[in-house]
Amino acid sequence: MRSEQLYSIGLIAQIVGGETIGNADYEIQSISIDSRSLYLPEETVFFAIVGDRHDGHKYISDLYQKGVRAFVISKDDESLKKYTNASFVRVEDTLKALQTLTARHRKHFNSPVIGITGSNGKTIVKEWLNQVLQNTYRVVRSPKSYNSQVGVPLSVWNLNSNANLGIFEAGISQPEEMQQLAEIIQPGIGVFTHLGQAHRENFENKQHLLSEKLKLFASCKKVVYCSDDTLVVNSFVVNLEPNQKQYTWARNKHAFCRILKEKQIGNRTRITIQVGKNTSEFTIPFTDRASVDNAITTYVTALVLGLDERDLKQEMLKLEPVAMRLEIKEGFGNCTLINDYYNSDLGSLEIAIDLMNQQQTDKKKCIILSDIYQSGYTDKRLYKAVAKLVAKQKIDRIIGIGERISMQADLFGDNAIFYQDTNLFLSQFNRSKFHDEVILIKGARDFHFERISKALQFKAHRTVLEVDLNAMVHNLNYFRSLLKPQTKLTVMVKAFSYGSGSVEIANLLQYHRVDYLAVAIADEGVELRNAGVNIPIIVMNPEPHSFETMIEYNLEPEIYNLKILHEFQQALRKNVVKNYPIHIKLDTGMHRMGFMQAELDELTAQIQNNDHFYIRSVFSHLAGADEEQHDDYTRHQIQLFKQWSDTIRQHFPYAIDRHVLNSAGIERFAHAQFEMVRLGIGLYGVSAVHQDKLMNVSTLKTTISQIKTVSKENTIGYGRKGVLEKDTRIGVIPIGYADGFSRKLSNGLGKVLVNGKLCPVVGNVCMDMSMIDLSHVQAKEGDTVTIFGDDYPVSQMANQLDTIPYEILTTVSRRVKRIYLQE
């Protein structure tokens, strides 16, 4: 994140109470906490944050190589001397130092600042406030949902003298956290959205949670909230001072803004309100209760800011959905599309480019970028910063759309082209000019870049598998939290990453620094290498015909018997390769593949007398780690594994890693972590112990193609198996057994979710289509149908088929388009 002000290292040390090591006069403008997200190294200070599962000090060397010369650290040793020309600030707590620095930075600005908190709706209200205020104010706001102990400081750092309004959201998950955020944001206007259940587990009760949240408003002169909830009202009375003015809205009682009537008209809601003695109405393009509540909060806050009511009504009618996550889709010409066409600011551009860089492919990088509104900077300064960011991130070409960015064309160099508006771009659009690129489509709402995405998007059918990358990272971090700091992590990405898409998932895991990936066959590993994945990869089912390919692509084989060991040795000898890593599989009770105890002596002798390979790891597979009834057998396997692996390791002078735990084993047998573990189905949201601590990753959905009423004397589908008991509304959905929707789900066994209600399958599932009973649900053609997802877990479909979630996930056909979502 970048500030307009220069801060010297000496001044930073003075502000945060730290000790300067090196050049105190070195000046910075940007701050970073992530070595992977760096674009202006020479003007950046890196805060080496230490957390439960990460330590920023590990990346100082890498950052120094990239050009960073300023660091805030809490660990100091002799190794710092090797970083000549670098400046350090040594503190007790780097996170606290980051918060202290940004709190001081905040004090430089006197413009109004809005602080938003609540259990839900913070990001929506923040973005909608920006939408309705952007023609009146120059707004700086939190990018995306940056509302944490780290996200808030990074957001506030963007305040500058050209902005005349700041909007920042604050979220907490632990007691005492809000006090820190309040000192950084220092809001003059407070907005409370809603009291719900989010993060309740760390608080005594709802009252405790609410009291903690209201600490954000200690410095506020004005506070906006809904007063329908008695608990909320009573808490505000207790926590606010008499001189803090409360602007409430309510449906059921007297308030600053009384809601008199809400009427749905098509896909809109007309809201009649009373403020003082005046009655008026405004319309929003939404009908769901959450959107209505968030819109009213937005409306009242805008009134408190003094926005003209006539202008406000016009803006409320134009409210658009807030894209909470970036979408990654397949495009024509082997392109990858990253859609982020609802946000346009410098902070969110950095975040989107960060996701772009995670793709780790050999494809070129292209950005389609609109004018950026309300940045707080002059156009010259703003687009100079954008051009610098684009250059630092080695973007191959940029397509600018809008009058303002076009006026700054000279800043962007030769690989840039500009259009006055989206219509002009589309009128000259030639799909053949887009191939083998990662394309970030990033624009303000007014430019309607969804039209560009549609033009570039690969036209797959309407059945899609949505993969939530944020949920996957959450699950990864949950399992990491169960590991000792020194335990290495291998993640299974075989079988197309359990149906989620190999390359995309492998890139994400590489970005989050897992130690190993594991694939089933060599071809899967080759695909990852060609996509730019360079971390170690184990091939679990190597075949002799692929050995030369494995050597070429630096893929490490599982060795499970003497025959495969000899054949791999011959391949290494043929290619004149020595000291190649291999992984030894032991059969301790699964009785699938692996060496038995009687073979260990010969195995060790063969490897001891051979300089072509060395043992990187020894491992085994547990047969029943997920079921308590098999615990004695699991313990027996673990004991055998320890004995056998010790027998092997004692014959070699070098370190050999051991791993036996799978996802269930990590949760249930933590004592057997050894040097490494293997994470598989747990990454995708399936737990053997704590399902509530994991998030769903994959959502398979389709749409209703056609609805028809079929009389009871007729039948449905092939073989006339769909016999009707009464006249029935039948919906046809474009998913069949060729997509992975099993034919065994025919004739009522399978169910799908439509508008919150389960609808049974009628008749036989076809290859490309299925029919469902819509008699008990309000539905229309084009409505979404969930096959499995957040509200209808994949485990339920597995139960219907008497199978396991693995099978369901891995049988989703590759013809089903994968869409990747990330906040």
Side-chain angles (χ1 to χ4, degrees):
M1 298 297 172
R2 193 169 191 268
S3 163
E4 65 174 354
Q5 293 178 264
L6 290 170
Y7 284 82
S8 71
I9 291 301
L11 178 58
I12 292 174
Q14 179 183 339
I15 292 171
V16 303
E19 174 190 356
T20 302
I21 303 171
N23 180 12
D25 295 327
Y26 190 87
E27 292 184 322
I28 62 93
Q29 278 186 283
S30 300
I31 55 178
S32 174
I33 62 163
D34 191 337
S35 63
R36 300 161 300 190
S37 306
L38 185 71
Y39 73 97
L40 296 171
E42 70 281 355
E43 64 173 53
T44 296
V45 58
F46 176 76
F47 283 76
I49 305 294
V50 179
D52 294 336
R53 297 182 292 272
H54 63 270
D55 185 349
H57 296 84
K58 294 180 180 179
Y59 310 111
I60 291 176
S61 177
D62 179 46
L63 288 160
Y64 185 82
Q65 293 297 320
K66 293 178 179 178
V68 178
R69 291 296 181 267
F71 303 87
V72 177
I73 60 172
S74 58
K75 298 179 181 179
D76 183 14
D77 57 43
E78 290 296 314
S79 67
L80 296 183
K81 294 180 180 179
K82 67 182 180 182
Y83 302 117
T84 57
N85 302 320
S87 299
F88 296 88
V89 177
R90 183 170 52 203
V91 296
E92 290 293 323
D93 185 333
T94 47
L95 175 58
K96 180 63 176 176
L98 173 66
Q99 294 171 337
T100 302
L101 176 63
T102 50
R104 174 67 68 86
H105 178 73
R106 163 69 179 90
K107 292 182 183 296
H108 290 299
F109 307 100
N110 297 318
S111 298
V113 168
I114 300 173
I116 305 174
T117 193
S119 300
N120 308 104
K122 297 184 291 294
T123 302
I124 301 292
V125 171
K126 178 198 68 187
E127 293 299 324
W128 281 355
L129 278 172
N130 179 65
Q131 288 182 39
V132 301
L133 298 172
Q134 64 182 356
N135 293 325
T136 307
Y137 289 91
R138 298 183 301 277
V139 180
V140 169
R141 69 191 194 280
S142 310
K144 296 292 181 181
S145 53
Y146 269 37
N147 58 37
S148 66
Q149 297 293 302
V150 171
V152 167
L154 295 178
S155 301
V156 171
W157 186 254
N158 289 323
L159 278 173
N160 60 78
S161 58
N162 291 314
N164 57 11
L165 179 65
I167 310 176
F168 303 108
E169 56 177 296
I172 59 173
S173 58
Q174 301 281 348
E176 308 302 327
E177 288 184 336
M178 188 61 84
Q179 184 64 42
Q180 301 290 338
L181 302 185
E183 292 174 3
I184 300 168
I185 299 174
Q186 302 161 41
I189 299 173
V191 176
F192 184 81
T193 57
H194 170 73
L195 179 63
Q197 300 296 325
H199 303 298
R200 262 283 303 279
E201 63 272 13
N202 296 318
F203 298 88
E204 297 171 8
N205 49 42
K206 289 181 74 171
Q207 178 64 67
H208 183 206
L209 171 63
L210 184 55
S211 297
E212 288 292 324
K213 287 182 178 293
L214 298 193
K215 290 180 180 179
L216 178 64
F217 305 138
S219 65
C220 292
K221 296 180 180 179
K222 303 175 181 179
V223 182
V224 176
Y225 65 95
C226 175
S227 58
D228 281 334
D229 189 326
T230 302
L231 178 60
V232 172
V233 174
N234 292 340
S235 293
F236 271 95
V237 171
V238 171
N239 286 276
L240 294 188
E241 298 295 332
N243 62 341
Q244 293 181 281
K245 192 163 184 179
Q246 301 179 39
Y247 294 85
T248 59
W249 66 266
R251 293 183 171 90
N252 305 316
K253 63 179 75 170
H254 176 74
F256 167 76
C257 177
R258 177 95 183 260
I259 311 304
L260 302 178
K261 187 177 180 181
E262 299 162 76
K263 183 178 181 180
Q264 291 187 13
I265 306 171
N267 60 356
R268 296 180 175 184
T269 302
R270 180 185 297 159
I271 303 167
T272 305
I273 65 172
Q274 181 179 358
V275 178
K277 296 181 179 180
N278 297 323
T279 299
S280 61
E281 62 183 31
F282 63 94
T283 302
I284 62 170
F286 303 97
T287 58
D288 63 285
R289 179 64 176 261
S291 293
V292 170
D293 286 359
N294 290 329
I296 295 171
T297 300
T298 300
Y299 190 91
V300 174
T301 306
L303 288 179
V304 170
L305 278 168
L307 201 67
D308 182 82
E309 196 167 5
R310 288 171 299 180
D311 295 337
L312 178 55
K313 289 178 181 180
Q314 293 178 6
E315 296 299 329
M316 295 300 291
L317 185 58
K318 294 188 293 184
L319 287 179
E320 296 190 36
V322 174
M324 301 297 291
R325 297 177 289 190
L326 290 82
E327 289 184 342
I328 307 175
K329 295 184 177 182
E330 183 181 358
F332 276 98
N334 195 33
C335 289
T336 299
L337 308 183
I338 300 177
N339 289 334
D340 192 20
Y341 41 69
Y342 288 122
N343 289 286
S344 179
D345 58 74
L346 197 55
S348 63
L349 178 60
E350 293 179 43
I351 295 169
I353 291 178
D354 183 33
L355 176 59
M356 192 181 199
N357 288 334
Q358 288 181 38
Q359 302 312 301
Q360 293 287 335
T361 71
D362 293 332
K363 298 178 181 179
K364 293 183 177 181
K365 293 186 285 188
C366 169
I367 298 178
I368 302 177
L369 180 67
S370 79
D371 286 346
I372 296 176
Y373 293 145
Q374 304 303 327
S375 68
Y377 296 112
T378 63
D379 282 355
K380 189 75 173 179
R381 186 172 183 182
L382 168 65
Y383 293 109
K384 186 175 182 180
V386 172
K388 196 171 185 179
L389 172 60
V390 166
K392 285 289 183 181
Q393 293 293 347
K394 297 181 172 57
I395 305 300
D396 295 283
R397 66 168 172 159
I398 185 165
I399 298 171
I401 299 178
E403 295 180 359
R404 293 163 66 175
I405 193 172
S406 297
M407 292 289 290
Q408 307 299 325
D410 60 313
L411 297 171
F412 289 91
D414 296 333
N415 294 325
I417 187 169
F418 297 88
Y419 300 86
Q420 290 295 305
D421 55 45
T422 305
N423 289 333
L424 182 60
F425 169 80
L426 290 172
S427 70
Q428 300 179 23
F429 175 74
N430 184 345
R431 188 178 291 136
S432 66
K433 294 185 180 296
F434 295 87
H435 55 85
D436 299 301
E437 292 181 290
V438 179
I439 304 172
L440 171 61
I441 305 173
K442 177 84 174 130
R445 296 168 178 276
D446 293 348
F447 286 85
H448 297 288
F449 273 11
E450 63 271 18
R451 296 162 59 201
I452 296 176
S453 177
K454 185 177 180 180
L456 286 167
Q457 186 177 328
F458 182 75
K459 301 299 189 295
H461 69 81
R462 288 170 292 174
T463 298
V464 299
L465 184 73
E466 291 183 350
V467 181
D468 187 336
L469 300 182
N470 290 94
M472 185 169 285
V473 172
H474 168 89
N475 297 341
L476 174 67
N477 287 336
Y478 163 70
F479 281 97
R480 273 181 161 161
S481 73
L482 304 178
L483 302 179
K484 301 171 185 176
Q486 67 272 21
T487 303
K488 298 176 183 177
L489 181 61
T490 294
V491 180
M492 312 300 293
V493 292
K494 63 181 181 178
F496 200 47
S497 287
Y498 294 68
S500 298
S502 299
V503 170
E504 294 80 5
I505 304 308
N507 280 323
L508 179 77
L509 295 169
Q510 176 171 261
Y511 182 78
H512 286 276
R513 298 190 174 99
V514 304
D515 299 284
Y516 270 89
L517 299 177
V519 298
I521 59 176
D523 286 350
E524 292 178 335
V526 170
E527 181 182 5
L528 299 185
R529 288 286 187 246
N530 286 335
V533 176
N534 52 37
I535 61 177
I537 298 175
I538 305 173
V539 178
M540 306 299 282
N541 302 309
E543 297 175 317
H545 68 79
S546 65
F547 282 163
E548 293 202 13
T549 299
M550 291 176 60
I551 295 167
E552 178 184 355
Y553 286 90
N554 194 25
L555 305 174
E556 304 174 14
E558 167 191 316
I559 301 297
Y560 51 85
N561 63 22
L562 293 172
K563 180 176 181 293
I564 207 81
L565 180 72
H566 296 153
E567 291 176 329
F568 190 61
Q569 177 184 336
Q570 292 172 4
L572 292 171
R573 183 181 293 119
K574 178 181 177 181
N575 287 274
V576 197
V577 174
K578 294 187 176 183
N579 295 317
Y580 201 92
I582 61 174
H583 301 263
I584 302 298
K585 174 71 175 292
L586 304 180
D587 182 1
T588 59
M590 181 78 167
H591 299 317
R592 190 170 60 183
M593 297 174 97
F595 288 92
M596 302 294 286
Q597 185 177 20
E599 300 172 290
L600 299 186
D601 289 342
E602 185 175 358
L603 169 67
T604 53
Q606 297 254 359
I607 297 176
Q608 276 182 306
N609 299 322
N610 196 306
D611 63 355
H612 287 288
F613 38 58
Y614 71 94
I615 302 175
R616 178 69 64 85
S617 80
V618 177
F619 70 102
S620 188
H621 202 107
L622 300 177
D626 57 335
E627 295 181 291
E628 187 175 352
Q629 68 192 61
H630 302 306
D631 282 0
D632 288 342
Y633 191 74
T634 299
R635 295 186 188 96
H636 173 68
Q637 278 196 269
I638 292 171
Q639 183 60 31
L640 284 182
F641 175 69
K642 185 178 186 308
Q643 293 173 0
W644 297 5
S645 60
D646 285 347
T647 297
I648 294 173
R649 284 166 38 120
Q650 69 183 357
H651 288 90
F652 298 92
Y654 51 81
I656 298 175
D657 291 336
R658 297 166 292 174
H659 46 109
V660 69
L661 297 185
N662 55 7
S663 297
I666 295 170
E667 291 187 292
R668 303 191 65 242
F669 297 93
H671 68 281
Q673 291 181 21
F674 296 103
E675 291 75 34
M676 188 155 66
V677 297
R678 299 187 306 275
L679 178 60
I681 194 66
L683 182 70
Y684 305 90
V686 178
S687 170
V689 181
H690 297 296
Q691 189 61 49
D692 60 314
K693 294 188 177 181
L694 296 181
M695 296 175 65
N696 173 62
V697 169
S698 299
T699 299
L700 181 61
K701 59 174 59 174
T702 186
T703 58
I704 299 174
S705 299
Q706 186 179 15
I707 295 177
K708 57 182 66 177
T709 299
V710 181
S711 58
K712 63 182 180 181
E713 63 269 14
N714 288 289
T715 58
I716 306 297
Y718 284 122
R720 303 192 67 194
K721 297 295 184 181
V723 179
L724 303 178
E725 297 180 355
K726 59 181 180 179
D727 294 353
T728 306
R729 288 181 75 236
I730 295 293
V732 182
I733 57 176
I735 185 172
Y737 55 79
D739 302 296
F741 191 63
S742 174
R743 196 168 184 272
K744 294 179 181 178
L745 294 168
S746 301
N747 300 305
L749 178 64
K751 296 178 177 61
V752 297
L753 194 67
V754 180
N755 295 332
K757 293 190 177 182
L758 291 176
C759 300
V761 174
V762 182
N764 283 332
V765 172
C766 308
M767 179 181 289
D768 308 302
M769 288 175 284
S770 302
M771 287 68 72
I772 58 177
D773 184 349
L774 297 174
S775 299
H776 305 292
V777 61
Q778 293 292 322
K780 60 184 183 298
E781 292 176 358
D783 280 0
T784 296
V785 178
T786 299
I787 310 302
F788 58 76
D790 289 343
D791 299 320
Y792 191 45
V794 66
S795 57
Q796 293 196 28
M797 179 181 284
N799 290 336
Q800 293 165 8
L801 291 170
D802 192 23
T803 185
I804 56 177
Y806 290 76
E807 181 178 352
I808 304 298
L809 293 172
T810 57
T811 53
V812 177
S813 169
R814 286 206 181 196
R815 81 175 187 175
V816 173
K817 180 174 61 177
R818 271 68 175 171
I819 297 176
Y820 300 91
L821 308 176
Q822 179 167 322
E823 286 191 11

